[in-house]
């Protein structure tokens, strides 16, 4: 299969969204009795969906809290607290799956090498993560707000990795994978309620604002809302500018 670069495709073809916006689990196409590892499984909902196809799923996440919740929700599934940068499975899984987790992992080469080793020969790696341009407007507003409030923005506190498709493809190939599909697509994401942006910031800007007092954080949230309202608030709905990098790679 040829590699498909989405950004231009998106502009040209409007069936793009239905084609690539399909549920990632459908792209994985789990088969009965397949062994599948869900990397960064969070609270386990997609691991459970994968298991509903008859696959044997193991969900792993670096967060003990997430795994605790996953195990409580889905007691019959196997979950473990595990860091993808240090896991040491070998030739164990028919497929590795990951949704919205890889962009949190700073040690990408180690993670890729570990996923490659975890797969059986010809196993597949099916994943989606934040890609180049992801949440650019929100990060821009955070930076500008901090600047205007004279709070230092520290680059080293930026917690994410949002690669370009060609860069990530090269990394996967360096790790030994054959990339069968790679696409970067825009997926504007509604944030629930009038406090949607603020709630998002409270949840996800902790790293960036770790050196900022609680009072100043409130000022940053309010400033971000003011800056983003003209562009990211439509019909009483906050929208986050998510860009997803989705790929299928084979061992
Ligand atoms: C995401 O793209 O899924 C994401 C990025 C940053 C924070 C939270 C979610």
């Amino acid at each position: 299969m040829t590699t498909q670069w989405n950004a231009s495709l998106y502009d040209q073809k409007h069936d793009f969204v239905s084609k690539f916006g399909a549920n990632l689990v459908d792209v994985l196409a789990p088969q009965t009795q397949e062994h599948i590892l869900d990397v960064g499984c969070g609270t386990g909902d997609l691991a459970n969906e994968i298991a509903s196809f008859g696959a044997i799923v193991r969900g792993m996440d670096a967060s003990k809290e997430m795994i605790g919740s996953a195990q409580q929700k889905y007691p019959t599934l196997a979950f473990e607290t595990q860091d993808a940068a240090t896991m040491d499975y070998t030739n164990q899984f028919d497929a590795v799956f990951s949704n919205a987790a890889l962009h949190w992992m700073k040690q990408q080469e180690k993670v890729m090498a570990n996923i490659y080793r975890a797969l059986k020969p010809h196993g597949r790696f099916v994943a989606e993560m934040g890609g180049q341009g992801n949440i650019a407007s929100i990060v821009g507003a955070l930076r500008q707000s901090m600047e205007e409030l004279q709070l230092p923005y520290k680059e080293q506190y930026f917690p994410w990795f949002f690669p370009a498709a060609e860069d990530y493809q090269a990394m996967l190939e360096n790790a030994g994978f054959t990339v069968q599909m790679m696409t970067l697509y825009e997926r504007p994401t509604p944030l629930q309620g009038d406090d949607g942006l603020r709630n998002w910031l409270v949840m996800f800007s902790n790293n960036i604002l770790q050196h900022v007092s609680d009072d100043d954080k409130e000022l940053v949230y309010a400033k971000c809302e003011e800056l983003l309202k003209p562009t990211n608030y439509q019909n009483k709905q906050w929208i986050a500018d998510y860009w997803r990098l989705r790929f299928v790679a084979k061992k």
Side-chain angles (χ1 to χ4, degrees):
M1 205 191 297
T2 51
T3 300
Q4 301 177 58
W5 302 107
N6 96 5
S8 55
L9 200 65
Y10 183 79
D11 286 335
Q12 288 159 17
K13 286 192 174 239
H14 286 284
D15 65 350
F16 166 83
V17 173
S18 54
K19 196 169 174 200
F20 291 109
N23 187 324
L24 190 62
V25 176
D26 294 339
V27 178
L28 175 68
Q31 305 295 305
T32 308
Q33 294 301 306
E34 273 193 322
H35 288 263
I36 298 180
L37 179 67
D38 182 356
V39 171
C41 66
T43 59
D45 293 344
L46 291 182
N48 183 55
E49 191 180 330
I50 294 166
S52 73
F53 287 77
I56 301 155
V57 184
R58 173 165 291 269
M60 49 152 291
D61 200 289
S63 159
K64 237 200 283 190
E65 291 72 25
M66 291 286 187
I67 289 298
S69 164
Q71 197 69 78
Q72 209 169 23
K73 281 160 75 180
Y74 307 111
T76 61
L77 300 185
F79 291 104
E80 66 185 325
T81 306
Q82 173 88 265
D83 186 336
T86 54
M87 66 184 182
D88 63 353
Y89 302 111
T90 303
N91 288 340
Q92 221 167 309
F93 296 98
D94 298 289
V96 172
F97 173 88
S98 183
N99 183 52
L102 293 167
H103 53 255
W104 290 98
M105 301 178 193
K106 287 286 187 183
Q107 296 176 285
Q108 286 288 325
E109 276 87 0
K110 283 190 183 164
V111 170
M112 269 184 201
N114 291 346
I115 288 172
Y116 188 86
R117 196 182 54 248
L119 284 166
K120 295 176 187 173
H122 310 296
R124 62 200 188 281
F125 178 21
V126 176
E128 186 167 295
M129 64 192 288
Q132 188 175 45
N134 197 40
I135 58 166
S137 71
I138 299 177
V139 173
L142 273 166
R143 290 188 81 125
Q144 189 179 335
S145 302
M146 292 174 78
E147 208 174 283
E148 289 184 19
L149 294 161
Q150 300 190 321
L151 301 165
Y153 178 91
K154 301 196 183 204
E155 211 63 66
Q156 71 267 32
Y157 292 162
F158 186 84
W160 306 297
F161 175 61
F162 298 137
E166 37 294 43
D167 294 342
Y168 211 68
Q169 171 153 355
M171 289 172 70
L172 285 162
E173 287 169 352
N174 280 340
F177 286 101
T178 301
V179 176
Q180 295 193 313
M181 187 272 275
M182 169 78 68
T183 182
L184 178 70
Y185 70 97
E186 189 173 15
R187 197 200 65 199
T189 299
L191 305 175
Q192 292 311 311
D194 245 27
D195 284 343
L197 178 68
R198 193 183 185 284
N199 292 338
W200 191 98
L201 290 167
V202 169
M203 179 123 177
F204 296 120
S205 67
N206 278 333
N207 286 291
I208 289 176
L209 300 178
Q210 62 190 269
H211 57 303
V212 172
S213 72
D214 287 348
D215 285 350
D216 283 342
K217 278 181 190 166
E218 292 299 328
L219 297 177
V220 171
Y221 302 151
K223 191 87 203 158
C224 282
E225 285 183 324
E226 181 193 320
L227 290 170
L228 290 172
K229 199 142 202 176
T231 49
N232 295 44
Y233 188 73
Q234 290 143 22
N235 303 321
K236 299 190 173 192
Q237 172 77 68
W238 285 103
I239 308 280
D241 51 335
Y242 278 22
W243 281 84
R244 310 324 273 171
L245 188 59
R246 175 178 285 205
F247 58 87
V248 177
K250 278 269 163 92
K251 180 169 179 176

